[in-house]
Amino acid sequence: MKKLINAVDDVVRESLAGLAAAHPDVLRVSLDPVYVVRADAPVPGKTAIVSGGGSGHEPLHGGYVGPGMLDAACPGQVFTSPTPDQIEAATRAVNGGAGVLHIVKNYSGDVMNFEMAAELCQAQGIEVRSVVIDDDVAVENSLYTAGRRGVGTTVLAEKICGAAAARGYDLAGVEALCRRVNANGRSMGMALTSCTVPAAGKPTFSLGEDQMELGIGIHGEPGRERAALQPAREIAERLTGAVVADLPFRGGDAVIAMVNGMGGTPLLELYLVYGEVERILQRQGIRVARRLVGNYITSLEMAGCSVTLLRADEEMLARWDDPVLTPALRWGI
Amino acid sequence: MKKLINAVDDVVRESLAGLAAAHPDVLRVSLDPVYVVRADAPVPGKTAIVSGGGSGHEPLHGGYVGPGMLDAACPGQVFTSPTPDQIEAATRAVNGGAGVLHIVKNYSGDVMNFEMAAELCQAQGIEVRSVVIDDDVAVENSLYTAGRRGVGTTVLAEKICGAAAARGYDLAGVEALCRRVNANGRSMGMALTSCTVPAAGKPTFSLGEDQMELGIGIHGEPGRERAALQPAREIAERLTGAVVADLPFRGGDAVIAMVNGMGGTPLLELYLVYGEVERILQRQGIRVARRLVGNYITSLEMAGCSVTLLRADEEMLARWDDPVLTPALRWGI
């Protein structure tokens, strides 16, 4: 295992210390329990948004904390759910009196621990609503999930709902928008190589030199198919085709399109894939209204990519365009 | 070789097509000869800035084209210098009548081809000045370089000089600022793994499972030392120590600090390294005024990182903070 780390047990804590040191104007990090929070939290009267999940998917979620996006993020150990006490403490820290939305990726541990934290907070008089993101079209049920996994649409939901909260939407309004984003977002990913969890010290799975895994999860969970490595054009067809067919997206739809890197694939390749995806969508009359190409929801150093499409109405596009100031997404500020 | 590509010969052209498709509001791509140019070029009366070099270092340079940074970028094939005709055409395309600055990383092929292009442009009445960036402290002379290699300071120079040109600095003013940035910037990098050039089809070099290369170049050129893999803390000490000692940076200096990923190292690790670098600088009384952590000048999918420090005066910091709108760096717009 070759990684830029010190001791395996310290990876998450030390990485968060670096995140805090690099972005003192935007966020701060609590270490006991562990969470990342907006530097100016709580914002009185604003609906707050908390997300979280296992570490190893950076910039998700800590890199999305800041004005116009998340109020707090709760990172677990690598590929491990955050605990209820982390989530409870973060929820209390950001509650500005207008309630808190939990955005939760659909993994059994995350869902359970966010539910427990929500109950603890509600018992203290904090209004909490939760939206579970389950946008991965690859498989029904998976290694850590009942139903569909939550992946790329989470990034888009956090941006759009964060902007809505900044605009003054109340908790019910932010929740409704988040459900609409989830209902209209679909994703699928693939891998060329495995990642290595630091505590495991060896690759999660192995793929032959001429193999790829289609429909992989962000923790290396098995996908739809292990297949012979194909050109980027075919891979883009497979991923985009599955995503488009599922909703389904139709000619005339406007979408926000994300081509996301799994962590170990260079931008040179991600842009090449994006070109293929946009061509496929154009052919079907689907209009790409906004784009995002890069590493946004990763799986450590896994090589591979995922495609996310969100059928976006005018409100979603407007909230997408609203200003945001976080380590990983920033514009208008 | 596992890559998200189609045919090896089409990688650069197809990736640029994707870049253009993803950022139609910011830039466009010319395919014959190949260059990336601001969508609104030429900007009349503004000093223009052109950079370029081999592909495989994305987002450098195409990802830095846009208002507040580069007017054009000339990408060669992977790890191959752009040709004089590319550079000449890009320079003509962005000349707004106020002259053009070439920012050139110190690699023999780049320097030679930018020189030839500058002469061709000057013969046509376009005033061209050139600044060669040579900030890599690792080695004197290298596989493709006489003198020191040009690496991370290039990113900072392009941002700061791009802002100066946007502010209305004349060509001599932008050139002088660029020379000052180069004189005050130092970098050093390291690798955990090799990258694979698509046309070669196999790794550029090999490192044992317990080895790293300190002082590596961005094309996998040999560095100072092949050593046993060490904890991130030691690696940060080695890189930062060499950089600090070289200028030298002293207590009381204000710096812009960049921890850059080589392409295959996850953000989780880069932030961990950043935390170590900032602690080392604090210990020496060096004040980190601005920070940048992520993949900014890469070497395909190489795992590893580099540290760049720029001793920054008030003018550099102000130009750093100025608005920028490019695919890879964006703020204030």
Side-chain angles (χ1 to χ4, degrees):
Chain A
M1 178 177 65
K2 302 182 89 169
K3 290 182 183 291
L4 295 171
I5 61 174
N6 296 307
V8 161
D9 288 346
D10 299 333
V11 170
V12 171
R13 190 179 55 76
E14 291 182 350
S15 181
L16 289 171
L19 180 74
H23 304 284
D25 47 331
V26 174
L27 55 82
R28 53 194 169 79
V29 169
S30 157
L31 286 177
D32 186 23
V34 172
Y35 58 85
V36 184
V37 66
R38 268 177 73 149
D40 59 353
V43 182
K46 188 183 84 71
T47 304
I49 306 181
V50 175
S51 190
S55 292
H57 307 302
E58 290 70 22
L60 191 85
H61 297 273
Y64 299 134
V65 171
M69 212 160 165
L70 297 180
D71 292 83
C74 302
Q77 289 300 310
V78 173
F79 294 177
T80 301
S81 297
T83 56
D85 70 302
Q86 285 179 262
I87 304 165
E88 181 204 357
T91 302
R92 280 196 283 113
V94 301
N95 175 38
V100 182
L101 180 70
H102 287 174
I103 301 181
V104 187
K105 300 194 300 303
N106 191 30
Y107 297 96
S108 303
D110 290 13
V111 171
M112 187 175 68
N113 290 355
F114 268 96
E115 268 177 16
M116 287 178 60
E119 285 169 18
L120 290 168
C121 291
Q122 276 154 345
Q124 297 164 59
I126 301 171
E127 194 180 4
V128 177
R129 305 277 179 90
S130 300
V131 176
V132 174
I133 305 291
D134 57 351
D135 63 315
D136 188 338
V137 307
V139 291
E140 289 296 329
N141 307 318
S142 187
L143 208 50
Y144 311 113
T145 317
R148 287 181 163 185
R149 301 176 298 218
V151 288
T153 299
T154 314
V155 177
L156 310 184
E158 292 179 0
K159 168 66 185 83
I160 289 169
C161 297
R167 286 252 169 201
Y169 288 37
D170 65 11
L171 179 57
V174 179
E175 180 195 4
L177 181 57
C178 195
R179 290 194 191 287
R180 220 162 75 231
V181 169
N182 186 51
N184 286 280
R186 295 291 187 275
S187 299
M188 192 159 122
M190 60 80 59
L192 295 173
T193 65
S194 177
C195 55
T196 296
V197 175
K202 59 183 201 322
T204 305
F205 61 95
S206 69
L207 274 174
E209 187 49 39
D210 57 351
Q211 282 188 314
M212 63 178 177
E213 176 98 18
L214 281 164
I216 195 132
I218 55 172
H219 313 93
E221 308 97 308
R224 283 189 178 187
E225 186 188 349
R226 190 161 288 199
L229 184 57
Q230 290 182 302
R233 188 170 299 129
E234 295 304 319
I235 293 168
E237 289 278 2
R238 297 288 296 271
L239 297 180
T240 311
V243 165
V244 166
D246 190 87
L247 189 64
F249 294 84
R250 298 181 196 282
D253 284 348
V255 299
I256 301 177
M258 176 168 76
V259 168
N260 169 65
M262 290 296 190
T265 285
L267 209 46
L268 181 78
E269 297 173 35
L270 295 178
Y271 273 115
L272 189 152
V273 171
Y274 180 75
E276 301 291 350
V277 170
E278 178 145 333
R279 187 170 19 249
I280 293 163
L281 295 174
Q282 273 176 353
R283 204 176 60 209
Q284 305 188 29
I286 297 168
R287 182 173 71 86
V288 182
R290 304 290 186 279
R291 297 98 168 149
L292 201 57
V293 182
N295 292 305
Y296 293 102
I297 170 172
T298 63
S299 188
L300 295 168
E301 73 282 5
M302 186 186 280
C305 70
S306 63
V307 172
T308 296
L309 299 180
L310 168 63
R311 182 169 58 196
D313 55 32
E314 288 305 313
E315 184 182 16
M316 292 182 204
L317 293 177
R319 295 297 80 77
W320 179 260
D321 291 340
D322 276 345
V324 61
L325 172 56
T326 71
L329 280 190
R330 180 173 176 185
W331 53 73
I333 301 179
Chain B
M1 177 176 66
K2 302 181 89 168
K3 290 182 184 290
L4 295 171
I5 61 174
N6 295 307
V8 162
D9 289 346
D10 299 334
V11 170
V12 170
R13 190 178 55 76
E14 291 182 351
S15 181
L16 290 171
L19 180 74
H23 304 284
D25 47 331
V26 173
L27 55 81
R28 53 194 169 79
V29 169
S30 157
L31 287 177
D32 186 23
V34 172
Y35 57 86
V36 184
V37 67
R38 267 176 73 150
D40 59 352
V43 182
K46 188 184 83 70
T47 304
I49 306 182
V50 174
S51 190
S55 293
H57 308 301
E58 290 69 23
L60 191 87
H61 297 272
Y64 299 135
V65 171
M69 212 159 164
L70 297 180
D71 293 84
C74 303
Q77 288 301 308
V78 173
F79 294 177
T80 302
S81 298
T83 56
D85 70 302
Q86 285 179 264
I87 304 165
E88 181 203 357
T91 303
R92 280 195 282 112
V94 301
N95 175 39
V100 181
L101 180 71
H102 287 173
I103 300 182
V104 187
K105 301 194 299 303
N106 191 32
Y107 297 96
S108 304
D110 290 13
V111 170
M112 186 175 70
N113 290 354
F114 269 95
E115 267 177 17
M116 287 178 60
E119 284 168 19
L120 290 168
C121 291
Q122 276 153 346
Q124 297 165 59
I126 301 172
E127 194 180 4
V128 177
R129 306 278 178 90
S130 300
V131 176
V132 175
I133 305 291
D134 57 351
D135 63 316
D136 189 338
V137 308
V139 292
E140 289 296 329
N141 306 317
S142 187
L143 207 49
Y144 311 112
T145 318
R148 287 180 163 186
R149 300 175 300 218
V151 287
T153 299
T154 313
V155 178
L156 310 184
E158 291 179 0
K159 168 66 185 84
I160 289 168
C161 297
R167 284 251 170 202
Y169 287 37
D170 66 12
L171 179 58
V174 178
E175 180 195 4
L177 180 58
C178 195
R179 291 195 190 287
R180 220 162 76 233
V181 169
N182 186 51
N184 287 280
R186 295 291 187 275
S187 300
M188 191 159 123
M190 60 80 59
L192 294 173
T193 65
S194 176
C195 56
T196 296
V197 175
K202 59 184 201 323
T204 304
F205 60 97
S206 69
L207 274 173
E209 187 50 40
D210 56 351
Q211 282 189 314
M212 63 177 177
E213 177 98 18
L214 281 164
I216 194 132
I218 55 172
H219 312 94
E221 307 97 308
R224 283 190 178 186
E225 186 188 349
R226 190 160 287 199
L229 184 57
Q230 290 183 302
R233 187 170 298 128
E234 297 303 319
I235 293 169
E237 289 278 2
R238 296 288 296 271
L239 297 180
T240 311
V243 164
V244 166
D246 190 86
L247 189 63
F249 295 84
R250 299 180 195 281
D253 284 348
V255 299
I256 300 177
M258 176 168 75
V259 168
N260 169 66
M262 291 296 189
T265 286
L267 208 46
L268 182 77
E269 297 174 34
L270 296 178
Y271 273 116
L272 190 153
V273 171
Y274 180 75
E276 300 291 350
V277 169
E278 178 145 335
R279 187 167 22 248
I280 294 163
L281 296 174
Q282 274 177 351
R283 206 176 61 209
Q284 304 188 29
I286 297 168
R287 181 172 72 85
V288 181
R290 303 291 185 277
R291 298 100 169 146
L292 202 56
V293 181
N295 292 305
Y296 293 102
I297 169 172
T298 63
S299 187
L300 296 167
E301 73 282 4
M302 187 187 279
C305 70
S306 63
V307 172
T308 296
L309 299 180
L310 170 62
R311 182 167 59 195
D313 56 31
E314 288 305 315
E315 184 183 16
M316 291 182 206
L317 292 178
R319 294 298 79 77
W320 180 259
D321 292 340
D322 276 345
V324 60
L325 172 57
T326 71
L329 280 190
R330 180 175 175 183
W331 53 74
I333 302 179

